[in-house]
Amino acid sequence: LTAGKPRLTAHVAANGKHDELLALSAAVQRGSEHPLARAVEEAAATAGVNPAAAANVQAVPGHGMTATVDGAEYALGNGGLLERFGIAIDGLAGEARRREEAGETVSWLAQTKPEAKLVGMLAFGDALKPESRDAVQALKEAGIRTVMLTGDNRGSAGHIAGQLGIDEVHAQVLPEGKAGIIAQLKAKGGRVAMVGDGINDAPALAAADIGIAMGGGTDVAMHTAGVTLMRGDPRLLADAIDISRRTYAKIRQN
């Protein structure tokens, strides 16, 4: 639904040392292929910030990552990751809420050892694909209900869903949780198609009645899905369903 090219819109340090926050964030994420990590690296390069080398870098599925920089241990990710370490975001909670309500994604950087403390907040913005609104409208006209599953925060998810007219939103969903929601939708008696392009989408693609991968996504998603749309244009989804219905009608006619 979005262009998939987020940019860093703000970095706010708890102690006011904003460049230090940017440098540490870039160090923790250096080498990561995640779009948010690339956005941080680009912002650091533009600001002339040279991040230090990180060690013991580990991914925390559905939450973020941890790493050691200059002997201190850090965690970078969503609010759930900070909760694991008992770190509060009180001082920046209001700013984060405003950013989320404006449709931005918020990440947090915290030091976990030797002292547990909040380092700062990172905010990211990503533009909607121009075709997304037409894609959702075409599905509605075809009698198909739309549901968004995302690991992003509720504020950002609700903002995007409102712009596009999506019927139902499930935000802050962990990768394993997406397949569970697919199962709940199926249990209500509906036929469920899941559209995704990332590694985290693979379990849900497999759980759905039909999995549909977006071209340009991960190999895992395309191998798991039954259908791959060859371009990243979400309007192709309604086209694929229309072709399927027409083909099956022709088979029945014959």
Side-chain angles (χ1 to χ4, degrees):
L1 299 175
T2 57
K5 296 179 180 178
R7 58 186 178 85
L8 185 68
T9 56
H11 54 287
V12 184
N15 62 3
K17 297 180 180 178
H18 308 305
D19 284 347
E20 182 179 294
L21 165 64
L22 185 58
L24 284 169
S25 301
V28 171
Q29 297 184 104
R30 177 181 276 181
S32 172
E33 292 299 315
H34 195 284
L36 298 186
R38 290 199 293 268
V40 170
E41 289 188 28
E42 289 171 5
T46 300
V49 172
N50 187 26
N56 304 320
V57 179
Q58 293 185 333
V60 184
H63 289 288
M65 58 199 307
T66 59
T68 303
V69 181
D70 293 333
E73 295 182 15
Y74 294 90
L76 175 60
N78 57 28
L81 184 60
L82 265 62
E83 289 176 7
R84 287 189 175 195
F85 294 99
I87 297 172
I89 61 170
D90 298 343
L92 295 175
E95 175 69 13
R97 192 180 308 110
R98 286 190 292 273
R99 295 275 175 182
E100 291 174 351
E101 289 172 353
E104 296 182 4
T105 298
V106 172
S107 291
W108 302 94
L109 178 68
Q111 180 181 296
T112 57
K113 290 182 181 179
E115 178 187 0
K117 63 179 181 179
L118 179 67
V119 179
M121 178 198 78
L122 304 171
F124 303 87
D126 194 2
L128 285 173
K129 289 180 179 177
E131 309 89 0
S132 293
R133 187 176 285 101
D134 290 341
V136 173
Q137 183 60 35
L139 291 173
K140 288 193 171 188
E141 290 174 358
I144 296 169
R145 192 158 173 270
T146 53
V147 180
M148 178 194 291
L149 304 183
T150 178
D152 210 340
N153 62 75
R154 292 184 178 87
S156 176
H159 180 81
I160 290 173
Q163 285 185 293
L164 298 179
I166 291 175
D167 299 311
E168 182 178 335
V169 180
H170 296 268
Q172 294 176 280
V173 182
L174 296 176
E176 59 270 22
K178 291 183 179 180
I181 293 173
I182 294 292
Q184 292 172 17
L185 293 170
K186 289 171 69 174
K188 294 178 181 178
R191 297 287 181 88
V192 180
M194 166 70 188
V195 188
D197 60 3
I199 293 173
N200 290 345
D201 295 324
L205 289 169
D209 292 301
I210 180 69
I212 303 173
M214 300 293 286
T218 61
D219 289 343
V220 172
M222 288 188 279
H223 288 161
T224 305
V227 176
T228 296
L229 306 178
M230 298 307 293
R231 300 193 309 278
D233 184 344
R235 293 175 300 184
L236 294 177
L237 177 59
D239 291 343
I241 294 169
D242 180 57
I243 291 170
S244 174
R245 287 176 171 175
R246 290 171 184 264
T247 302
Y248 191 62
K250 184 60 66 176
I251 291 170
R252 290 174 62 89
Q253 181 188 43
N254 289 339

